[in-house]
Amino acid sequence: MSKIFPSNPVPTAAGIGLRSQHIGEMLSRRPSAGWLEVHAENYMGGSAAVDALEQLRESYPLSIHGVGLSLGSSSGLDRDHLERMRKLCLRFQPSLVSEHLAWSAADGAYLNDLLPLRYDAQAIIAVAANVSRLQDTLQRRVYIENLSAYVAFEGSTMTEAEFLTELVCMTGCGLLLDVNNVYVSASNLGFDAKAFIDQLPARAIGEIHLAGHAINEIEGDIVLIDDHGSRVPPAVWSLYAYVIRKIGPRPTLIEWDTDVPTLDVLLGEAMWADMLAQSIAFEDRMLAERPAPPTSRFEGMILPLRPDSPKGPMPALAALATIKPSVFANHSGARRIGHAL
């Protein structure tokens, strides 16, 4: 009988997608990583990869990411595929389960891609019915991911953000916000990425994806391709920082599916995500605890001593070291102190 694991939560830290190239190294090294995400369809049968996942599941919280349920299909979900998903989740007890706002099957034919929907009243009814059936079957909240887009349907009556918001209202599902997908779609279709994020219900966002993309020039036009084949680019990091400042930290996955790098490169990208989130949390904390504006000429001498400030033989120097460089730059007295030190 297969082992059934206890459920443990995915932390609000960065995780990595488990790729076949890294399984052996993951088993031998057990490196520090917030959590792992696997594609559901790769683990629905019996294989060495499933055995390896059983071992890794002992050490890491898990997210299961579906790519084949075709939630946008008007004919409903494939019963056998849904049952395989149920058994997989029952066995590995992932903390998070997610799927895409897309379709990939029709009339018994399956397409090796995630295709966009026309966002209208008819589509929302069909998708909501599929999401509700999925959640009822798995007996858990499922997180739905926004797509990267290259074309838009002329007949759509709502935006993707409006569609996702309505889907949350109708089904109680959560959202997986793929920041790279937002950036790619915004660039290709010409909308404001931050405005898209502002429209989403922040409380429903339970997971974030980050990835790289390719930049192609086609007949003079720039088209971004969501290929998950490179480091997270600066523009996507910047948009991620906007999201974290707006909604707070969330479990964040580094996706890398093509030209997969070494495990250490992947872990390094996850480390950057953690550092960025922690830096923003520190800034927010310091802003919240900022003292009242100084009223004397000795304002630069007021050190941010708090109950949890550094202790030791020279606490004033330790506290001084926590002051941002910008404080010194704007005060001549403080500049003198800093120079003397």
Side-chain angles (χ1 to χ4, degrees), residues 212-227:
H213 56 255
I215 302 175
N216 289 2
E217 182 175 345
I218 301 176
E219 297 180 352
D221 293 329
I222 298 298
V223 178
L224 304 188
I225 306 296
D226 178 32
D227 67 347

Side-chain angles (χ1 to χ4, degrees), residues 167-188:
L167 189 63
V168 170
C169 292
M170 294 176 68
T171 67
C173 70
L175 297 179
L176 192 172
L177 175 59
D178 191 313
V179 176
N180 181 59
N181 285 358
V182 175
Y183 184 82
V184 166
S185 298
S187 177
N188 291 339

